[in-house]
Amino acid sequence: MLDAEKAENITVIDLAGKSSIADHMIVATGRSARHIGALADHLAERLKAEGLPVATEGMPQCDWVLLDAGDLIVHLFRPEVRAYYNLEKMWGAPVVALTGTDGPGAWAH
Protein backbone atom coordinates (compact mmCIF):
# COMPACT_ATOMS: atom_id res chain seq x y z
CA MET A 1 0.00 0.00 0.00
CA LEU A 2 2.74 2.47 0.92
CA ASP A 3 4.81 1.81 -2.19
CA ALA A 4 1.72 2.16 -4.40
CA GLU A 5 1.22 5.62 -2.87
CA LYS A 6 4.84 6.56 -3.63
CA ALA A 7 6.29 6.29 -0.11
CA GLU A 8 10.08 6.05 -0.27
CA ASN A 9 12.75 4.02 1.55
CA ILE A 10 10.23 1.62 3.09
CA THR A 11 11.76 -0.53 5.82
CA VAL A 12 10.10 -3.27 7.87
CA ILE A 13 11.80 -4.04 11.18
CA ASP A 14 11.12 -7.31 13.01
CA LEU A 15 10.66 -6.50 16.70
CA ALA A 16 9.28 -9.89 17.80
CA GLY A 17 11.05 -10.88 21.00
CA LYS A 18 12.87 -7.54 21.17
CA SER A 19 10.03 -5.29 22.32
CA SER A 20 6.70 -5.61 24.09
CA ILE A 21 5.20 -2.66 22.16
CA ALA A 22 4.89 -4.37 18.78
CA ASP A 23 6.04 -7.30 16.66
CA HIS A 24 6.80 -5.24 13.54
CA MET A 25 7.64 -1.65 12.72
CA ILE A 26 7.42 -0.04 9.30
CA VAL A 27 9.41 3.11 8.62
CA ALA A 28 8.82 5.08 5.43
CA THR A 29 9.52 8.51 3.99
CA GLY A 30 7.08 10.90 2.33
CA ARG A 31 8.03 13.74 0.02
CA SER A 32 6.18 16.47 1.92
CA ALA A 33 3.87 17.07 4.87
CA ARG A 34 0.88 16.81 2.53
CA HIS A 35 2.15 13.48 1.14
CA ILE A 36 2.72 12.10 4.65
CA GLY A 37 -0.79 13.15 5.70
CA ALA A 38 -2.31 11.39 2.69
CA LEU A 39 -0.24 8.24 3.32
CA ALA A 40 -1.33 8.20 6.97
CA ASP A 41 -5.00 8.74 6.14
CA HIS A 42 -5.09 6.00 3.51
CA LEU A 43 -3.15 3.51 5.62
CA ALA A 44 -5.33 4.18 8.69
CA GLU A 45 -8.48 3.60 6.59
CA ARG A 46 -7.09 0.34 5.24
CA LEU A 47 -6.00 -0.92 8.67
CA LYS A 48 -9.40 -0.09 10.14
CA ALA A 49 -11.11 -1.88 7.23
CA GLU A 50 -9.08 -4.96 8.21
CA GLY A 51 -10.51 -4.68 11.73
CA LEU A 52 -7.40 -3.32 13.41
CA PRO A 53 -7.68 -0.52 15.96
CA VAL A 54 -5.55 2.42 14.85
CA ALA A 55 -4.31 5.38 16.85
CA THR A 56 -2.43 8.20 15.12
CA GLU A 57 -0.14 10.93 16.38
CA GLY A 58 1.48 13.85 14.58
CA MET A 59 -1.19 14.57 11.98
CA PRO A 60 -1.39 18.35 12.49
CA GLN A 61 2.26 18.94 11.46
CA CYS A 62 2.87 15.75 9.40
CA ASP A 63 6.65 15.92 9.93
CA TRP A 64 6.48 12.55 11.67
CA VAL A 65 3.23 10.60 11.84
CA LEU A 66 2.90 7.50 14.00
CA LEU A 67 0.20 4.90 13.36
CA ASP A 68 -0.22 2.37 16.17
CA ALA A 69 -2.17 -0.71 15.10
CA GLY A 70 -1.31 -2.98 18.00
CA ASP A 71 1.40 -5.40 16.88
CA LEU A 72 2.19 -3.13 13.92
CA ILE A 73 3.67 0.35 14.35
CA VAL A 74 4.15 2.61 11.30
CA HIS A 75 6.34 5.72 11.27
CA LEU A 76 6.01 8.12 8.33
CA PHE A 77 8.66 10.85 8.11
CA ARG A 78 9.77 13.79 6.04
CA PRO A 79 13.32 12.94 4.83
CA GLU A 80 15.25 15.25 7.17
CA VAL A 81 13.23 14.20 10.21
CA ARG A 82 13.82 10.52 9.44
CA ALA A 83 17.56 11.13 9.07
CA TYR A 84 17.66 12.97 12.40
CA TYR A 85 15.87 10.26 14.44
CA ASN A 86 17.31 7.27 12.52
CA LEU A 87 14.95 4.73 14.09
CA GLU A 88 16.41 1.81 12.17
CA LYS A 89 19.81 2.31 13.82
CA MET A 90 18.27 2.95 17.22
CA TRP A 91 16.38 -0.36 17.19
CA GLY A 92 19.32 -2.27 15.77
CA ALA A 93 16.79 -4.84 14.63
CA PRO A 94 16.95 -7.00 11.52
CA VAL A 95 15.12 -5.68 8.49
CA VAL A 96 12.40 -7.91 7.02
CA ALA A 97 12.29 -8.34 3.25
CA LEU A 98 9.27 -6.78 1.54
CA THR A 99 8.07 -9.86 -0.30
CA GLY A 100 4.67 -11.46 -0.62
CA THR A 101 1.29 -10.16 0.35
CA ASP A 102 1.01 -11.65 3.84
CA GLY A 103 2.41 -10.36 7.10
CA PRO A 104 3.66 -6.87 7.94
CA GLY A 105 5.29 -6.37 4.56
CA ALA A 106 1.86 -6.43 2.94
CA TRP A 107 1.12 -2.98 4.39
CA ALA A 108 4.23 -1.62 2.77
CA HIS A 109 3.24 -2.87 -0.70
Side-chain angles (χ1 to χ4, degrees):
M1 191 249 122
L2 291 173
D3 65 348
E5 304 234 359
K6 308 294 186 207
E8 301 170 351
N9 301 320
I10 303 166
T11 303
V12 179
I13 302 170
D14 182 5
L15 297 178
K18 296 185 179 355
S19 173
S20 62
I21 63 166
D23 289 336
H24 296 92
M25 179 183 301
I26 297 175
V27 181
T29 303
R31 295 181 307 274
S32 65
R34 176 177 273 175
H35 185 219
I36 291 168
L39 289 169
D41 284 339
H42 295 153
L43 184 56
E45 288 173 16
R46 186 162 169 200
L47 290 166
K48 288 176 185 176
E50 293 289 329
L52 296 171
V54 179
T56 59
E57 293 185 31
M59 287 298 285
Q61 296 80 20
C62 291
D63 289 335
W64 174 3
V65 174
L66 168 80
L67 291 97
D68 181 348
D71 286 335
L72 176 65
I73 305 290
V74 180
H75 295 273
L76 303 172
F77 290 100
R78 283 191 305 110
E80 61 276 9
V81 178
R82 182 174 181 173
Y84 179 80
Y85 287 102
N86 198 1
L87 292 183
E88 295 92 333
K89 183 177 179 184
M90 181 182 82
W91 279 99
V95 175
V96 176
L98 297 179
T99 59
T101 57
D102 293 335
W107 297 109
H109 289 294

